Amino acid sequence: MRSGTSIGANVREAEHAQSKADFISKLLIALKEANETEYWIELLLETNYISKTEFENIKPKITEILKILVSIINTSKGK
């Protein structure tokens, strides 16, 4: 839950960044948290804490968040 909620908190902070570098930095932190969240979700499935159905409902959402963050970061860096 911590890593998952941290994604939104860091994106919110990025909205009011003091500079472009600060904006990118905060989004990179959000990306790391999203990656960690993906790990925990996979672990929850492997330990049977969540069902395959629950996993299949959650996994595409975190994958999409990761893609969006990478896209924003790359665009902001001018790549």
Side-chain angles (χ1 to χ4, degrees):
M1 185 154 163
R2 265 190 185 167
S3 62
T5 56
S6 180
I7 301 165
N10 281 289
V11 169
R12 181 64 69 97
E13 280 190 47
E15 291 175 358
H16 300 285
Q18 296 176 349
S19 66
K20 187 175 186 178
D22 188 36
F23 176 78
I24 293 168
S25 175
K26 288 179 179 9
L27 287 182
L28 284 169
I29 294 168
L31 180 62
K32 288 179 184 180
E33 295 295 335
N35 190 49
E36 181 181 343
T37 300
E38 182 180 46
Y39 165 78
W40 286 117
I41 291 168
E42 290 167 355
L43 189 62
L44 291 173
L45 174 66
E46 293 300 317
T47 59
N48 296 314
Y49 193 82
I50 61 173
S51 69
K52 186 165 177 72
T53 302
E54 290 171 309
F55 175 79
E56 289 172 349
N57 182 42
I58 297 168
K59 176 70 171 166
K61 295 173 184 174
I62 192 64
T63 300
E64 187 65 22
I65 289 169
L66 285 162
K67 288 178 182 178
I68 290 168
L69 289 170
V70 167
S71 178
I72 294 169
I73 291 164
N74 286 340
T75 300
S76 297
K77 287 181 174 181
K79 291 185 176 180

